[in-house]
Amino acid sequence: MEARSAVIQPRHGCPHPPHLKSSLLLILLLGVWYGQALEMITGKIPYLEAVNGSTVLLPCKYASCIGIEDLYFRWSFNDTDPQNKLCDAVIHDETSEPNVKVYKDRVEFIGHNIEQNVSILLWNITFDDGGVYTCYGKNPKEKGRYHNATFTLVVVDQLTVVDNTLAKLIATCVGGALGLLMCYVLLKNFTLWVMAQMEERNKEGLITSSGIDNTENGLSGSKSTPKPTPKKA
């Protein structure tokens, strides 16, 4: 008898093509890279209204999960052109302070690298200083990608006084309503207590009156009726 060898045929599935695996790997690497990217931060409320002639702080901090190396930063005003800048510097590492160059009058750098702070002050602002200020950062560890955050400054003659008359009126009405409600509750409880006391006294009066009637009528519980004297034989 001729022996036949069993041949196992491979199953026909849908193997992942090589380019799909490469794409997934690239997306993963990009996600990790963006998650570690440099971030410039100008605060939760990047907006300020200031009076003409005052001094204002323009806040900016940087953050990077992979650290910095020769981080370049600059402040610009109303323009994204690198030539139109207020100040700039290079921060070599996390422990060194930058040698900041200031290009405009009334601008002062007040940041500290140990706090990752690159904020500036504007002295004696004028109406011409109103506009958008941009804080840039570029970390060579990220192949020189630029990151930025903006801060808007509005210069006014005087600060707007907020009219809180309506808020006071609402608070007064709410307080009055709560006061009336409390008075109503107290009055209701007092009335119920008085009525309970009166009802209790009425019950006591009825019991006393019932006892007196029973005594007068010779009923059980009243005074005993004297028995007649027995006759002698």
Side-chain angles (χ1 to χ4, degrees), residues 62-200:
Y62 69 87
S64 177
C65 296
I66 60 176
I68 64 168
E69 181 180 346
D70 292 334
L71 169 68
Y72 171 78
F73 78 89
R74 77 168 185 270
W75 275 95
S76 296
F77 172 61
N78 275 351
D79 201 344
T80 57
D81 185 355
Q83 300 302 320
N84 187 16
K85 53 190 175 183
L86 304 177
C87 66
D88 67 353
V90 174
I91 304 176
H92 298 293
D93 53 48
E94 289 86 350
T95 60
S96 62
E97 292 294 334
N99 183 18
V100 181
K101 295 181 181 179
V102 178
Y103 302 97
K104 301 292 183 181
D105 295 334
R106 299 180 291 108
V107 175
E108 179 184 357
F109 178 78
I110 61 168
H112 296 285
N113 187 39
I114 192 173
E115 300 173 354
Q116 299 179 334
N117 189 344
V118 290
S119 303
I120 61 175
L121 278 180
L122 291 182
W123 291 88
N124 301 322
I125 62 173
T126 66
F127 291 104
D128 293 335
D129 293 325
V132 179
Y133 292 81
T134 306
C135 180
Y136 289 90
K138 182 176 68 173
N139 188 6
K141 281 190 174 184
E142 300 174 8
K143 298 182 179 180
R145 290 185 68 249
Y146 266 104
H147 304 271
N148 67 78
T150 59
F151 191 91
T152 302
L153 175 64
V154 178
V155 183
V156 296
D157 281 324
Q158 59 182 4
L159 296 178
T160 303
V161 179
V162 179
D163 186 6
N164 56 359
T165 303
L166 180 60
K168 290 182 178 179
L169 180 60
I170 294 175
T172 302
C173 293
V174 173
L178 291 176
L180 290 175
L181 180 61
M182 291 181 63
C183 290
Y184 168 76
V185 172
L186 291 175
L187 181 60
K188 179 181 178 181
N189 291 337
F190 178 74
T191 303
L192 292 176
W193 179 80
V194 171
M195 292 178 64
Q197 293 297 319
M198 293 178 63
E199 185 177 358
E200 187 68 24

Side-chain angles (χ1 to χ4, degrees), residues 1-75:
M1 181 181 292
E2 182 179 355
R4 296 182 180 179
S5 60
V7 179
I8 300 176
Q9 297 293 335
R11 294 183 179 180
H12 295 283
C14 298
H16 297 290
H19 67 274
L20 180 59
K21 294 183 179 179
S22 301
S23 300
L24 292 175
L25 181 60
L26 179 60
I27 292 174
L28 179 61
L29 292 176
L30 286 175
V32 173
W33 183 59
Y34 276 106
Q36 296 176 340
L38 177 70
E39 183 179 9
M40 309 303 290
I41 308 166
T42 53
K44 295 181 179 179
I45 305 177
Y47 173 90
L48 177 66
E49 188 176 280
V51 178
N52 181 32
S54 61
T55 299
V56 298
L57 167 68
L58 302 184
C60 184
K61 289 188 175 183
Y62 69 87
S64 177
C65 296
I66 60 176
I68 64 168
E69 181 180 346
D70 292 334
L71 169 68
Y72 171 78
F73 78 89
R74 77 168 185 270
W75 275 95

Side-chain angles (χ1 to χ4, degrees), residues 195-211:
M195 292 178 64
Q197 293 297 319
M198 293 178 63
E199 185 177 358
E200 187 68 24
R201 290 183 180 180
N202 289 336
K203 289 182 179 179
E204 292 178 357
L206 291 174
I207 293 173
T208 303
S209 176
S210 176

